[in-house]
Amino acid sequence: MSSVATISSRPSDFSILKSQFLTCYDELSKMARQKLKFEYNSDTLDTSALVHEAYLKLENHESGFQNKSHFMAIAAIVMRRFLVDYARQKKRQKRGGDQIQLTYGAVNQAIFTTPEEVINLNEALTRLKFINNRHCRVVEYHFFGGYKHEEIAKMMGLSIDTIRRDWRLAKAWLSKELKN
């Protein structure tokens, strides 16, 4: 992600949020495109739909954004929640065979997941959040936001070694949880 630019700490004014959104639109689109690159036969979900859904959710974020990195991190979490809701909807429709592409491990290494797997991952992340919130955030930023470890370290104000260690521990814990 690009350099950190100061963004208003209180997006109570619609024009301020719109400005923040437009400033980050290309990066948000890139993030969404990466998440949806291998989506099969989705007539209702595309890059702009995911970005605009994130914008609608960010509109309700009242605590403000410290800077551009914070704004993008919140957007990654919002996109995660939207993809989970989308997976739940697909699961309810019982169409079967539809898969959602998410990145696990290396950012450029995509795997296909079913809606059930996305829901299971979300439930596991919810459990992880109660055990170690920082590990959960590292997974969210890397897995759903597509951020590299160096970018996450800057965003969270931690060392790169701490982020890598948190990623390894969280990945091992999630692997165990998802096998059960």
Side-chain angles (χ1 to χ4, degrees):
M1 305 288 135
S2 64
S3 65
V4 177
T6 303
I7 291 183
S8 169
S9 62
R10 287 252 170 232
S12 57
D13 181 14
F14 174 75
S15 63
I16 293 171
L17 178 64
K18 183 178 177 185
S19 170
Q20 293 169 353
F21 179 74
L22 292 174
T23 300
C24 300
Y25 189 83
D26 289 339
E27 288 181 64
L28 290 168
S29 293
K30 182 179 176 185
M31 185 188 305
R33 192 171 19 266
Q34 180 179 352
K35 297 299 151 208
L36 298 173
K37 189 176 3 178
F38 297 106
E39 176 70 17
Y40 286 142
N41 302 324
S42 178
D43 296 328
T44 58
L45 184 61
D46 61 13
T47 300
S48 13
L50 183 55
V51 170
H52 293 126
E53 285 294 331
Y55 172 74
L56 292 173
K57 299 291 185 194
L58 288 168
E59 199 172 28
N60 298 325
H61 185 75
E62 296 180 12
S63 60
F65 308 100
Q66 298 167 1
N67 53 41
K68 183 177 178 181
S69 292
H70 184 233
F71 181 82
M72 294 298 291
I74 298 297
I77 292 168
V78 167
M79 285 185 188
R80 167 196 166 199
R81 291 178 182 159
F82 182 80
L83 287 171
V84 169
D85 289 343
Y86 183 75
R88 285 185 180 132
Q89 178 185 12
K90 283 212 174 243
K91 183 179 177 185
R92 278 194 299 267
Q93 292 172 350
K94 303 261 185 203
R95 292 184 183 155
D98 291 335
Q99 296 183 325
I100 299 169
Q101 176 268 326
L102 292 174
T103 306
Y104 187 67
V107 172
N108 295 327
Q109 188 176 21
I111 61 167
F112 293 102
T113 59
T114 64
E116 291 82 11
E117 290 170 328
V118 173
I119 292 168
N120 291 341
L121 174 62
N122 184 61
E123 290 169 356
L125 281 174
T126 301
R127 291 189 298 275
L128 178 60
K129 186 175 184 176
F130 287 111
I131 295 169
N132 191 315
N133 186 47
R134 189 177 75 201
H135 290 179
C136 180
R137 290 291 175 227
V138 169
V139 172
E140 286 177 328
Y141 296 159
H142 185 68
F143 191 85
F144 288 95
Y147 290 99
K148 295 177 182 168
H149 292 140
E150 295 81 8
E151 295 167 323
I152 297 169
K154 281 183 185 177
M155 288 169 28
M156 295 180 73
L158 299 169
S159 74
I160 185 71
D161 290 335
T162 299
I163 297 301
R164 287 184 178 137
R165 186 173 38 257
D166 287 355
W167 172 248
R168 281 192 310 273
L169 291 170
K171 200 164 89 169
W173 186 88
L174 284 170
S175 178
K176 182 182 171 212
E177 281 293 303
L178 293 173
K179 286 181 183 175
N180 292 335

PDB file of all heavy atoms in Angstrom, residues 39 45 80-94 98-100 102 113-120 122:
ATOM      1  N   GLU A  39     -13.584 -15.506  -8.665  1.00  0.00           N
ATOM      2  CA  GLU A  39     -14.982 -15.781  -8.311  1.00  0.00           C
ATOM      3  C   GLU A  39     -15.701 -16.372  -9.522  1.00  0.00           C
ATOM      4  O   GLU A  39     -15.671 -15.812 -10.606  1.00  0.00           O
ATOM      5  CB  GLU A  39     -15.666 -14.483  -7.874  1.00  0.00           C
ATOM      6  CG  GLU A  39     -17.130 -14.608  -7.583  1.00  0.00           C
ATOM      7  CD  GLU A  39     -17.421 -15.398  -6.334  1.00  0.00           C
ATOM      8  OE1 GLU A  39     -16.515 -15.588  -5.520  1.00  0.00           O
ATOM      9  OE2 GLU A  39     -18.556 -15.833  -6.189  1.00  0.00           O
ATOM     10  N   LEU A  45     -21.928 -10.007  -7.550  1.00  0.00           N
ATOM     11  CA  LEU A  45     -20.799  -9.462  -6.797  1.00  0.00           C
ATOM     12  C   LEU A  45     -19.606  -9.270  -7.713  1.00  0.00           C
ATOM     13  O   LEU A  45     -19.103 -10.211  -8.303  1.00  0.00           O
ATOM     14  CB  LEU A  45     -20.426 -10.395  -5.638  1.00  0.00           C
ATOM     15  CG  LEU A  45     -19.331  -9.896  -4.704  1.00  0.00           C
ATOM     16  CD1 LEU A  45     -19.761  -8.592  -4.022  1.00  0.00           C
ATOM     17  CD2 LEU A  45     -19.018 -10.942  -3.653  1.00  0.00           C
ATOM     18  N   ARG A  80     -14.129  -8.157   4.630  1.00  0.00           N
ATOM     19  CA  ARG A  80     -14.204  -9.517   5.195  1.00  0.00           C
ATOM     20  C   ARG A  80     -15.629  -9.810   5.637  1.00  0.00           C
ATOM     21  O   ARG A  80     -16.202 -10.846   5.298  1.00  0.00           O
ATOM     22  CB  ARG A  80     -13.259  -9.647   6.386  1.00  0.00           C
ATOM     23  CG  ARG A  80     -13.533 -10.915   7.196  1.00  0.00           C
ATOM     24  CD  ARG A  80     -12.908 -10.895   8.565  1.00  0.00           C
ATOM     25  NE  ARG A  80     -13.472 -11.953   9.375  1.00  0.00           N
ATOM     26  CZ  ARG A  80     -13.419 -11.976  10.671  1.00  0.00           C
ATOM     27  NH1 ARG A  80     -12.827 -11.012  11.339  1.00  0.00           N
ATOM     28  NH2 ARG A  80     -13.958 -12.967  11.341  1.00  0.00           N
ATOM     29  N   ARG A  81     -16.189  -8.904   6.401  1.00  0.00           N
ATOM     30  CA  ARG A  81     -17.552  -9.134   6.903  1.00  0.00           C
ATOM     31  C   ARG A  81     -18.555  -9.253   5.767  1.00  0.00           C
ATOM     32  O   ARG A  81     -19.465 -10.074   5.820  1.00  0.00           O
ATOM     33  CB  ARG A  81     -17.933  -8.010   7.860  1.00  0.00           C
ATOM     34  CG  ARG A  81     -17.132  -8.074   9.138  1.00  0.00           C
ATOM     35  CD  ARG A  81     -17.471  -6.939  10.068  1.00  0.00           C
ATOM     36  NE  ARG A  81     -16.634  -7.013  11.261  1.00  0.00           N
ATOM     37  CZ  ARG A  81     -16.391  -5.991  12.049  1.00  0.00           C
ATOM     38  NH1 ARG A  81     -16.919  -4.818  11.783  1.00  0.00           N
ATOM     39  NH2 ARG A  81     -15.631  -6.134  13.099  1.00  0.00           N
ATOM     40  N   PHE A  82     -18.373  -8.435   4.738  1.00  0.00           N
ATOM     41  CA  PHE A  82     -19.286  -8.517   3.601  1.00  0.00           C
ATOM     42  C   PHE A  82     -19.150  -9.855   2.883  1.00  0.00           C
ATOM     43  O   PHE A  82     -20.148 -10.483   2.514  1.00  0.00           O
ATOM     44  CB  PHE A  82     -19.058  -7.357   2.624  1.00  0.00           C
ATOM     45  CG  PHE A  82     -20.020  -7.401   1.476  1.00  0.00           C
ATOM     46  CD1 PHE A  82     -21.315  -6.935   1.629  1.00  0.00           C
ATOM     47  CD2 PHE A  82     -19.649  -7.946   0.255  1.00  0.00           C
ATOM     48  CE1 PHE A  82     -22.227  -7.006   0.582  1.00  0.00           C
ATOM     49  CE2 PHE A  82     -20.544  -8.017  -0.794  1.00  0.00           C
ATOM     50  CZ  PHE A  82     -21.839  -7.543  -0.629  1.00  0.00           C
ATOM     51  N   LEU A  83     -17.898 -10.318   2.671  1.00  0.00           N
ATOM     52  CA  LEU A  83     -17.683 -11.603   2.005  1.00  0.00           C
ATOM     53  C   LEU A  83     -18.261 -12.752   2.822  1.00  0.00           C
ATOM     54  O   LEU A  83     -18.809 -13.713   2.262  1.00  0.00           O
ATOM     55  CB  LEU A  83     -16.192 -11.830   1.740  1.00  0.00           C
ATOM     56  CG  LEU A  83     -15.594 -10.978   0.630  1.00  0.00           C
ATOM     57  CD1 LEU A  83     -14.078 -11.121   0.609  1.00  0.00           C
ATOM     58  CD2 LEU A  83     -16.184 -11.357  -0.725  1.00  0.00           C
ATOM     59  N   VAL A  84     -18.178 -12.655   4.146  1.00  0.00           N
ATOM     60  CA  VAL A  84     -18.775 -13.687   5.007  1.00  0.00           C
ATOM     61  C   VAL A  84     -20.297 -13.674   4.857  1.00  0.00           C
ATOM     62  O   VAL A  84     -20.924 -14.720   4.699  1.00  0.00           O
ATOM     63  CB  VAL A  84     -18.345 -13.493   6.476  1.00  0.00           C
ATOM     64  CG1 VAL A  84     -19.160 -14.369   7.408  1.00  0.00           C
ATOM     65  CG2 VAL A  84     -16.857 -13.798   6.624  1.00  0.00           C
ATOM     66  N   ASP A  85     -20.882 -12.489   4.880  1.00  0.00           N
ATOM     67  CA  ASP A  85     -22.333 -12.389   4.687  1.00  0.00           C
ATOM     68  C   ASP A  85     -22.742 -12.913   3.310  1.00  0.00           C
ATOM     69  O   ASP A  85     -23.759 -13.594   3.155  1.00  0.00           O
ATOM     70  CB  ASP A  85     -22.811 -10.945   4.848  1.00  0.00           C
ATOM     71  CG  ASP A  85     -22.747 -10.475   6.288  1.00  0.00           C
ATOM     72  OD1 ASP A  85     -22.654 -11.326   7.194  1.00  0.00           O
ATOM     73  OD2 ASP A  85     -22.777  -9.245   6.506  1.00  0.00           O
ATOM     74  N   TYR A  86     -21.939 -12.596   2.312  1.00  0.00           N
ATOM     75  CA  TYR A  86     -22.199 -13.080   0.956  1.00  0.00           C
ATOM     76  C   TYR A  86     -22.128 -14.604   0.906  1.00  0.00           C
ATOM     77  O   TYR A  86     -22.958 -15.264   0.282  1.00  0.00           O
ATOM     78  CB  TYR A  86     -21.176 -12.448  -0.001  1.00  0.00           C
ATOM     79  CG  TYR A  86     -21.378 -12.797  -1.453  1.00  0.00           C
ATOM     80  CD1 TYR A  86     -22.412 -12.222  -2.184  1.00  0.00           C
ATOM     81  CD2 TYR A  86     -20.527 -13.689  -2.101  1.00  0.00           C
ATOM     82  CE1 TYR A  86     -22.587 -12.524  -3.524  1.00  0.00           C
ATOM     83  CE2 TYR A  86     -20.699 -13.994  -3.431  1.00  0.00           C
ATOM     84  CZ  TYR A  86     -21.732 -13.418  -4.141  1.00  0.00           C
ATOM     85  OH  TYR A  86     -21.915 -13.728  -5.466  1.00  0.00           O
ATOM     86  N   ALA A  87     -21.141 -15.164   1.602  1.00  0.00           N
ATOM     87  CA  ALA A  87     -21.006 -16.624   1.654  1.00  0.00           C
ATOM     88  C   ALA A  87     -22.210 -17.253   2.348  1.00  0.00           C
ATOM     89  O   ALA A  87     -22.725 -18.289   1.908  1.00  0.00           O
ATOM     90  CB  ALA A  87     -19.713 -17.008   2.376  1.00  0.00           C
ATOM     91  N   ARG A  88     -22.665 -16.626   3.418  1.00  0.00           N
ATOM     92  CA  ARG A  88     -23.858 -17.141   4.111  1.00  0.00           C
ATOM     93  C   ARG A  88     -25.071 -17.128   3.186  1.00  0.00           C
ATOM     94  O   ARG A  88     -25.857 -18.062   3.174  1.00  0.00           O
ATOM     95  CB  ARG A  88     -24.139 -16.302   5.352  1.00  0.00           C
ATOM     96  CG  ARG A  88     -23.197 -16.583   6.476  1.00  0.00           C
ATOM     97  CD  ARG A  88     -23.602 -15.823   7.728  1.00  0.00           C
ATOM     98  NE  ARG A  88     -22.665 -16.112   8.787  1.00  0.00           N
ATOM     99  CZ  ARG A  88     -22.086 -15.199   9.551  1.00  0.00           C
ATOM    100  NH1 ARG A  88     -22.363 -13.924   9.386  1.00  0.00           N
ATOM    101  NH2 ARG A  88     -21.249 -15.561  10.492  1.00  0.00           N
ATOM    102  N   GLN A  89     -25.198 -16.057   2.425  1.00  0.00           N
ATOM    103  CA  GLN A  89     -26.311 -15.955   1.489  1.00  0.00           C
ATOM    104  C   GLN A  89     -26.218 -17.065   0.441  1.00  0.00           C
ATOM    105  O   GLN A  89     -27.206 -17.714   0.124  1.00  0.00           O
ATOM    106  CB  GLN A  89     -26.314 -14.579   0.820  1.00  0.00           C
ATOM    107  CG  GLN A  89     -27.410 -14.411  -0.198  1.00  0.00           C
ATOM    108  CD  GLN A  89     -27.305 -13.074  -0.933  1.00  0.00           C
ATOM    109  OE1 GLN A  89     -26.298 -12.374  -0.835  1.00  0.00           O
ATOM    110  NE2 GLN A  89     -28.335 -12.744  -1.679  1.00  0.00           N
ATOM    111  N   LYS A  90     -25.024 -17.284  -0.110  1.00  0.00           N
ATOM    112  CA  LYS A  90     -24.837 -18.345  -1.103  1.00  0.00           C
ATOM    113  C   LYS A  90     -25.152 -19.702  -0.499  1.00  0.00           C
ATOM    114  O   LYS A  90     -25.731 -20.556  -1.160  1.00  0.00           O
ATOM    115  CB  LYS A  90     -23.417 -18.328  -1.650  1.00  0.00           C
ATOM    116  CG  LYS A  90     -23.179 -17.253  -2.649  1.00  0.00           C
ATOM    117  CD  LYS A  90     -22.158 -17.745  -3.644  1.00  0.00           C
ATOM    118  CE  LYS A  90     -22.016 -16.745  -4.742  1.00  0.00           C
ATOM    119  NZ  LYS A  90     -22.389 -17.242  -6.014  1.00  0.00           N
ATOM    120  N   LYS A  91     -24.742 -19.901   0.744  1.00  0.00           N
ATOM    121  CA  LYS A  91     -25.003 -21.178   1.413  1.00  0.00           C
ATOM    122  C   LYS A  91     -26.505 -21.388   1.564  1.00  0.00           C
ATOM    123  O   LYS A  91     -27.019 -22.481   1.349  1.00  0.00           O
ATOM    124  CB  LYS A  91     -24.318 -21.203   2.783  1.00  0.00           C
ATOM    125  CG  LYS A  91     -24.483 -22.512   3.504  1.00  0.00           C
ATOM    126  CD  LYS A  91     -23.768 -22.491   4.833  1.00  0.00           C
ATOM    127  CE  LYS A  91     -24.007 -23.791   5.581  1.00  0.00           C
ATOM    128  NZ  LYS A  91     -23.418 -23.755   6.910  1.00  0.00           N
ATOM    129  N   ARG A  92     -27.206 -20.332   1.933  1.00  0.00           N
ATOM    130  CA  ARG A  92     -28.662 -20.433   2.082  1.00  0.00           C
ATOM    131  C   ARG A  92     -29.333 -20.747   0.754  1.00  0.00           C
ATOM    132  O   ARG A  92     -30.349 -21.432   0.702  1.00  0.00           O
ATOM    133  CB  ARG A  92     -29.222 -19.125   2.638  1.00  0.00           C
ATOM    134  CG  ARG A  92     -29.115 -19.000   4.124  1.00  0.00           C
ATOM    135  CD  ARG A  92     -29.967 -17.866   4.637  1.00  0.00           C
ATOM    136  NE  ARG A  92     -29.574 -16.579   4.109  1.00  0.00           N
ATOM    137  CZ  ARG A  92     -28.726 -15.749   4.687  1.00  0.00           C
ATOM    138  NH1 ARG A  92     -28.159 -16.079   5.809  1.00  0.00           N
ATOM    139  NH2 ARG A  92     -28.439 -14.601   4.143  1.00  0.00           N
ATOM    140  N   GLN A  93     -28.781 -20.242  -0.325  1.00  0.00           N
ATOM    141  CA  GLN A  93     -29.395 -20.462  -1.633  1.00  0.00           C
ATOM    142  C   GLN A  93     -29.227 -21.903  -2.096  1.00  0.00           C
ATOM    143  O   GLN A  93     -29.903 -22.334  -3.022  1.00  0.00           O
ATOM    144  CB  GLN A  93     -28.803 -19.505  -2.664  1.00  0.00           C
ATOM    145  CG  GLN A  93     -29.192 -18.069  -2.403  1.00  0.00           C
ATOM    146  CD  GLN A  93     -28.446 -17.100  -3.303  1.00  0.00           C
ATOM    147  OE1 GLN A  93     -27.515 -17.472  -4.001  1.00  0.00           O
ATOM    148  NE2 GLN A  93     -28.874 -15.855  -3.276  1.00  0.00           N
ATOM    149  N   LYS A  94     -28.290 -22.619  -1.480  1.00  0.00           N
ATOM    150  CA  LYS A  94     -28.074 -24.044  -1.786  1.00  0.00           C
ATOM    151  C   LYS A  94     -27.842 -24.307  -3.266  1.00  0.00           C
ATOM    152  O   LYS A  94     -28.309 -25.294  -3.811  1.00  0.00           O
ATOM    153  CB  LYS A  94     -29.256 -24.885  -1.294  1.00  0.00           C
ATOM    154  CG  LYS A  94     -29.555 -24.748   0.161  1.00  0.00           C
ATOM    155  CD  LYS A  94     -28.966 -25.894   0.890  1.00  0.00           C
ATOM    156  CE  LYS A  94     -29.395 -25.779   2.342  1.00  0.00           C
ATOM    157  NZ  LYS A  94     -28.573 -26.435   3.228  1.00  0.00           N
ATOM    158  N   ASP A  98     -20.599 -23.043  -6.186  1.00  0.00           N
ATOM    159  CA  ASP A  98     -20.054 -21.689  -6.241  1.00  0.00           C
ATOM    160  C   ASP A  98     -18.931 -21.584  -5.225  1.00  0.00           C
ATOM    161  O   ASP A  98     -19.057 -22.004  -4.086  1.00  0.00           O
ATOM    162  CB  ASP A  98     -21.134 -20.651  -5.907  1.00  0.00           C
ATOM    163  CG  ASP A  98     -22.186 -20.562  -6.990  1.00  0.00           C
ATOM    164  OD1 ASP A  98     -21.864 -20.903  -8.137  1.00  0.00           O
ATOM    165  OD2 ASP A  98     -23.312 -20.158  -6.684  1.00  0.00           O
ATOM    166  N   GLN A  99     -17.840 -21.002  -5.631  1.00  0.00           N
ATOM    167  CA  GLN A  99     -16.707 -20.863  -4.731  1.00  0.00           C
ATOM    168  C   GLN A  99     -16.267 -19.421  -4.678  1.00  0.00           C
ATOM    169  O   GLN A  99     -16.389 -18.687  -5.649  1.00  0.00           O
ATOM    170  CB  GLN A  99     -15.540 -21.741  -5.206  1.00  0.00           C
ATOM    171  CG  GLN A  99     -15.866 -23.215  -5.165  1.00  0.00           C
ATOM    172  CD  GLN A  99     -14.682 -24.051  -5.576  1.00  0.00           C
ATOM    173  OE1 GLN A  99     -13.906 -23.644  -6.439  1.00  0.00           O
ATOM    174  NE2 GLN A  99     -14.545 -25.205  -4.967  1.00  0.00           N
ATOM    175  N   ILE A 100     -15.737 -19.054  -3.535  1.00  0.00           N
ATOM    176  CA  ILE A 100     -15.230 -17.712  -3.319  1.00  0.00           C
ATOM    177  C   ILE A 100     -13.720 -17.822  -3.204  1.00  0.00           C
ATOM    178  O   ILE A 100     -13.212 -18.662  -2.482  1.00  0.00           O
ATOM    179  CB  ILE A 100     -15.834 -17.115  -2.037  1.00  0.00           C
ATOM    180  CG1 ILE A 100     -17.360 -17.041  -2.162  1.00  0.00           C
ATOM    181  CG2 ILE A 100     -15.239 -15.739  -1.748  1.00  0.00           C
ATOM    182  CD1 ILE A 100     -18.059 -16.711  -0.876  1.00  0.00           C
ATOM    183  N   LEU A 102     -10.186 -16.707  -1.918  1.00  0.00           N
ATOM    184  CA  LEU A 102      -9.531 -15.946  -0.872  1.00  0.00           C
ATOM    185  C   LEU A 102      -8.060 -16.296  -0.882  1.00  0.00           C
ATOM    186  O   LEU A 102      -7.660 -17.337  -1.392  1.00  0.00           O
ATOM    187  CB  LEU A 102     -10.124 -16.278   0.503  1.00  0.00           C
ATOM    188  CG  LEU A 102     -11.560 -15.821   0.726  1.00  0.00           C
ATOM    189  CD1 LEU A 102     -12.068 -16.337   2.055  1.00  0.00           C
ATOM    190  CD2 LEU A 102     -11.665 -14.312   0.701  1.00  0.00           C
ATOM    191  N   THR A 113     -12.410 -21.350  -2.114  1.00  0.00           N
ATOM    192  CA  THR A 113     -13.105 -21.796  -0.930  1.00  0.00           C
ATOM    193  C   THR A 113     -14.600 -21.809  -1.198  1.00  0.00           C
ATOM    194  O   THR A 113     -15.105 -21.055  -2.024  1.00  0.00           O
ATOM    195  CB  THR A 113     -12.828 -20.868   0.264  1.00  0.00           C
ATOM    196  OG1 THR A 113     -13.252 -19.554  -0.067  1.00  0.00           O
ATOM    197  CG2 THR A 113     -11.367 -20.847   0.632  1.00  0.00           C
ATOM    198  N   THR A 114     -15.275 -22.666  -0.487  1.00  0.00           N
ATOM    199  CA  THR A 114     -16.729 -22.714  -0.580  1.00  0.00           C
ATOM    200  C   THR A 114     -17.307 -21.714   0.411  1.00  0.00           C
ATOM    201  O   THR A 114     -16.606 -21.291   1.345  1.00  0.00           O
ATOM    202  CB  THR A 114     -17.245 -24.125  -0.241  1.00  0.00           C
ATOM    203  OG1 THR A 114     -16.922 -24.405   1.125  1.00  0.00           O
ATOM    204  CG2 THR A 114     -16.649 -25.176  -1.172  1.00  0.00           C
ATOM    205  N   PRO A 115     -18.565 -21.356   0.268  1.00  0.00           N
ATOM    206  CA  PRO A 115     -19.182 -20.467   1.263  1.00  0.00           C
ATOM    207  C   PRO A 115     -19.089 -21.036   2.682  1.00  0.00           C
ATOM    208  O   PRO A 115     -18.867 -20.300   3.635  1.00  0.00           O
ATOM    209  CB  PRO A 115     -20.631 -20.366   0.790  1.00  0.00           C
ATOM    210  CG  PRO A 115     -20.547 -20.572  -0.686  1.00  0.00           C
ATOM    211  CD  PRO A 115     -19.450 -21.596  -0.871  1.00  0.00           C
ATOM    212  N   GLU A 116     -19.213 -22.348   2.818  1.00  0.00           N
ATOM    213  CA  GLU A 116     -19.120 -22.977   4.136  1.00  0.00           C
ATOM    214  C   GLU A 116     -17.740 -22.758   4.748  1.00  0.00           C
ATOM    215  O   GLU A 116     -17.605 -22.520   5.948  1.00  0.00           O
ATOM    216  CB  GLU A 116     -19.411 -24.485   4.051  1.00  0.00           C
ATOM    217  CG  GLU A 116     -20.850 -24.818   3.729  1.00  0.00           C
ATOM    218  CD  GLU A 116     -21.176 -24.744   2.237  1.00  0.00           C
ATOM    219  OE1 GLU A 116     -20.255 -24.633   1.402  1.00  0.00           O
ATOM    220  OE2 GLU A 116     -22.377 -24.760   1.915  1.00  0.00           O
ATOM    221  N   GLU A 117     -16.704 -22.845   3.920  1.00  0.00           N
ATOM    222  CA  GLU A 117     -15.336 -22.638   4.424  1.00  0.00           C
ATOM    223  C   GLU A 117     -15.118 -21.200   4.869  1.00  0.00           C
ATOM    224  O   GLU A 117     -14.430 -20.955   5.856  1.00  0.00           O
ATOM    225  CB  GLU A 117     -14.309 -23.045   3.361  1.00  0.00           C
ATOM    226  CG  GLU A 117     -14.251 -24.541   3.131  1.00  0.00           C
ATOM    227  CD  GLU A 117     -13.411 -24.925   1.923  1.00  0.00           C
ATOM    228  OE1 GLU A 117     -13.361 -24.145   0.949  1.00  0.00           O
ATOM    229  OE2 GLU A 117     -12.816 -26.010   1.954  1.00  0.00           O
ATOM    230  N   VAL A 118     -15.698 -20.250   4.154  1.00  0.00           N
ATOM    231  CA  VAL A 118     -15.582 -18.843   4.549  1.00  0.00           C
ATOM    232  C   VAL A 118     -16.281 -18.630   5.887  1.00  0.00           C
ATOM    233  O   VAL A 118     -15.756 -17.951   6.780  1.00  0.00           O
ATOM    234  CB  VAL A 118     -16.168 -17.902   3.470  1.00  0.00           C
ATOM    235  CG1 VAL A 118     -16.212 -16.464   3.964  1.00  0.00           C
ATOM    236  CG2 VAL A 118     -15.372 -18.004   2.191  1.00  0.00           C
ATOM    237  N   ILE A 119     -17.445 -19.235   6.053  1.00  0.00           N
ATOM    238  CA  ILE A 119     -18.183 -19.113   7.311  1.00  0.00           C
ATOM    239  C   ILE A 119     -17.402 -19.777   8.442  1.00  0.00           C
ATOM    240  O   ILE A 119     -17.282 -19.220   9.535  1.00  0.00           O
ATOM    241  CB  ILE A 119     -19.595 -19.710   7.167  1.00  0.00           C
ATOM    242  CG1 ILE A 119     -20.417 -18.831   6.212  1.00  0.00           C
ATOM    243  CG2 ILE A 119     -20.283 -19.830   8.527  1.00  0.00           C
ATOM    244  CD1 ILE A 119     -21.714 -19.441   5.751  1.00  0.00           C
ATOM    245  N   ASN A 120     -16.833 -20.962   8.183  1.00  0.00           N
ATOM    246  CA  ASN A 120     -16.025 -21.640   9.198  1.00  0.00           C
ATOM    247  C   ASN A 120     -14.814 -20.802   9.580  1.00  0.00           C
ATOM    248  O   ASN A 120     -14.449 -20.713  10.757  1.00  0.00           O
ATOM    249  CB  ASN A 120     -15.576 -23.021   8.709  1.00  0.00           C
ATOM    250  CG  ASN A 120     -16.724 -23.990   8.605  1.00  0.00           C
ATOM    251  OD1 ASN A 120     -17.783 -23.794   9.206  1.00  0.00           O
ATOM    252  ND2 ASN A 120     -16.539 -25.035   7.824  1.00  0.00           N
ATOM    253  N   ASN A 122     -14.573 -17.529   9.394  1.00  0.00           N
ATOM    254  CA  ASN A 122     -15.069 -16.400  10.168  1.00  0.00           C
ATOM    255  C   ASN A 122     -15.330 -16.800  11.618  1.00  0.00           C
ATOM    256  O   ASN A 122     -14.972 -16.075  12.546  1.00  0.00           O
ATOM    257  CB  ASN A 122     -16.341 -15.829   9.533  1.00  0.00           C
ATOM    258  CG  ASN A 122     -16.818 -14.601  10.267  1.00  0.00           C
ATOM    259  OD1 ASN A 122     -16.117 -13.607  10.354  1.00  0.00           O
ATOM    260  ND2 ASN A 122     -18.017 -14.684  10.825  1.00  0.00           N
TER     261      ASN A 122
END
